[in-house]
């Protein structure tokens, strides 16, 4: 999952950079599709080909709307069909959101791991603490109070 999220964010950053440079949406999507890893490249390539052939943005981005990694991009592309620079801003924002979500997921996993590690450590040290710390103190107090014969 981490590789997929990282790859999707990178593809969105590349698309945003291409669009910010003034490259038309079909050309930028085709260029990014050529270097994108996984199924994101195929989805972008299909959208680029449909746009280059003159399809409407809604029909060109239909397959991308059905793909989980590109659904937000496809919706943004349909909303901002008349402006590549607006899509560039949306693509960069989506890439940042994907990175934040992935960082949150990784942090939650690390916190969960630390909790899972603390349990066995506590079970290992608790008997030693009782035998070496608590029992001698209790026995010492009991002998001073003449509770033990």
């Amino acid at each position: 999952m981490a590789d997929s999220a990282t790859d999707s964010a990178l593809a969105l950053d590349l698309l945003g950079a291409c669009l910010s440079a003034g490259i038309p949406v079909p050309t930028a999507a085709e260029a990014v599709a050529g270097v994108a890893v996984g199924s994101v490249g195929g989805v972008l390539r299909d959208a680029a080909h449909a746009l280059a052939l003159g399809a409407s943005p809604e029909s060109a981005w239909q397959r991308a709307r059905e793909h989980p990694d590109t659904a937000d991009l496809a919706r943004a592309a349909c909303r901002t069909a008349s402006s590549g620079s607006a899509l560039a801003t949306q693509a960069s924002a989506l890439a940042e959101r994907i990175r934040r979500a992935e960082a949150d997921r990784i942090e939650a996993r690390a916190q969960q791991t630390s909790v899972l590690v603390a349990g066995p450590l506590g079970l290992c040290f608790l008997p030693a603490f009782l035998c070496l710390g608590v029992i001698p103190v209790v026995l010492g107090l009991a002998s001073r109070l003449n509770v033990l014969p």
Side-chain angles (χ1 to χ4, degrees):
M1 178 75 183
D3 292 334
S4 175
T6 304
D7 293 340
S8 297
L10 179 61
L12 289 171
D13 277 338
L14 288 172
L15 183 63
C18 289
L19 293 171
S20 293
I23 298 174
V25 174
T27 308
E30 179 67 31
V32 172
V35 296
V37 178
S39 58
V40 173
V43 170
L44 287 175
R45 188 173 295 107
D46 289 348
H49 286 235
L51 287 170
L53 292 174
S56 69
E58 289 78 20
S59 64
W61 291 98
Q62 177 60 39
R63 183 168 171 235
R65 275 195 301 269
E66 297 167 357
H67 193 277
D69 291 338
T70 57
D72 290 338
L73 174 67
R75 284 191 289 277
C78 290
R79 279 193 316 269
T80 61
S82 62
S83 172
S85 63
L87 182 58
T89 304
Q90 292 291 321
S92 298
L94 289 171
E96 183 59 32
R97 189 171 10 149
I98 289 171
R99 283 192 185 90
R100 265 189 269 123
E102 184 65 14
D104 289 345
R105 188 189 70 77
I106 290 170
E107 184 177 348
R109 188 93 186 253
Q111 290 174 354
Q112 180 185 15
T113 302
S114 68
V115 168
L116 293 174
V117 167
L121 284 175
L123 290 175
C124 291
F125 287 112
L126 184 61
F129 172 72
L130 291 174
C131 291
L132 298 175
V134 175
I135 294 176
V137 171
V138 170
L139 290 176
L141 289 174
S143 66
R144 287 195 178 174
L145 296 174
N146 294 326
V147 176
L148 291 178

